């Protein structure tokens, strides 16, 4: 976790993005997935120029949220603060409906259903200016450059993501664990 924070602190775009997300004041709110994963893999591949962020996945958990389109408001707010980023905001308390799963108990439980274990990582900026990193599966395999299939999702989904996202082309040292 400390290594992720050290990497974040060297990246002004990510620092600003975390500050913007913190300003939303959403419960259990983090930036997840490639925002963290790509930064680690870039570092381990000694990339001087960070891999561009296709999107910025903001996740939060609010079981009491009644407006199913609230995410659009949050995306608009974030876009007004950082228009160059492709913000994608999702309430993980509702994502089980889209995914056909039983209701998720909390944010970490929701992340434990993501197709790759190493993608199930997230970070947030706290009000005291510290950072908090969480992961559904720990951080070891992420730093070991592994990409592990999560058996809660089909192997076909995992393999499709490997191909469509071209991870092995971008980060050739990755080790696929299926």
């Amino acid at each position: 976790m400390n290594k992720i924070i050290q990497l974040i602190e060297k990246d002004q775009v990510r620092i600003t993005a975390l500050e913007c997300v913190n300003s939303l004041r959403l419960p259990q709110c983090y930036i997840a997935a490639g925002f963290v994963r790509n930064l680690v893999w870039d570092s381990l591949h000694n990339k001087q120029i960070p891999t561009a962020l296709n999107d910025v996945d903001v996740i939060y958990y609010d079981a009491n949220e009644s407006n199913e389109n609230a995410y659009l408001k949050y995306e608009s707010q974030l876009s007004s603060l950082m228009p160059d980023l492709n913000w994608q905001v999702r309430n993980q308390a509702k994502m089980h409906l889209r995914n056909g799963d039983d209701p998720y108990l909390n944010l970490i439980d929701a992340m434990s259903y993501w197709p790759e274990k190493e993608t199930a990582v997230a970070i947030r900026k706290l009000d005291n200016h510290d950072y908090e990193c969480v992961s559904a599966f720990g951080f070891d395999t992420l730093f070991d450059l592994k990409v592990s299939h999560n058996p809660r999702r089909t192997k076909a989904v995992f393999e499709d993501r490997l191909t469509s996202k071209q991870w092995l082309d971008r980060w050739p040292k990755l080790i696929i664990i299926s």
Side-chain angles (χ1 to χ4, degrees):
M1 185 170 85
N2 290 334
K3 181 62 175 166
I4 292 171
I5 293 168
Q6 290 171 1
L7 293 171
I8 290 286
E9 289 176 332
K10 295 177 187 174
D11 188 317
Q12 189 57 52
V13 170
R14 282 178 167 86
I15 289 170
T16 304
L18 286 161
E19 290 168 353
C20 292
V21 168
N22 178 270
S23 74
L24 295 176
R25 302 285 183 229
L26 294 170
Q28 295 183 51
C29 189
Y30 295 80
I31 304 180
F35 186 86
V36 178
R37 182 200 62 223
N38 294 4
L39 183 66
V40 171
W41 288 350
D42 281 353
S43 172
L44 295 171
H45 279 80
N46 298 311
K47 288 191 174 211
Q48 300 304 310
I49 299 170
T51 300
L53 294 167
N54 295 331
D55 56 34
V56 178
D57 295 300
V58 177
I59 59 173
Y60 66 102
Y61 190 90
D62 185 354
N64 297 318
E65 185 177 80
S66 58
N67 180 355
E68 65 184 51
N69 292 316
Y71 71 95
L72 295 172
K73 173 183 151 194
Y74 304 134
E75 288 176 355
S76 177
Q77 287 174 307
L78 291 169
S79 291
S80 71
L81 296 170
M82 291 185 78
D84 292 340
L85 296 181
N86 177 20
W87 296 97
Q88 293 192 347
V89 180
R90 298 294 181 267
N91 182 356
Q92 298 300 295
K94 310 295 183 188
M95 291 301 291
H96 70 283
L97 299 169
R98 186 180 102 179
N99 297 333
D101 298 325
D102 290 334
Y104 304 137
L105 305 174
N106 54 46
L107 188 88
I108 298 295
D109 185 44
M111 291 169 61
S112 76
Y113 284 82
W114 293 3
E116 317 85 34
K117 294 179 178 182
E118 293 70 27
T119 298
V121 295
I123 188 168
R124 70 176 169 175
K125 188 165 191 169
L126 302 171
D127 289 337
N128 66 1
H129 304 291
D130 287 339
Y131 295 96
E132 179 185 42
C133 295
V134 295
S135 171
F137 301 100
F139 301 99
D140 291 344
T141 61
L142 176 65
F143 281 95
D144 289 342
L145 289 168
K146 294 180 180 168
V147 185
S148 309
H149 169 242
N150 182 353
R152 288 187 157 176
R153 294 289 175 240
T154 67
K155 184 138 316 182
V157 168
F158 173 75
E159 291 171 352
D160 180 61
R161 285 175 54 84
L162 284 175
T163 303
S164 68
K165 293 184 177 285
Q166 301 176 317
W167 287 336
L168 291 174
D169 293 334
R170 290 189 181 122
W171 301 285
K173 295 178 187 176
L174 292 178
I175 302 162
I176 308 304
I177 309 295
S178 47

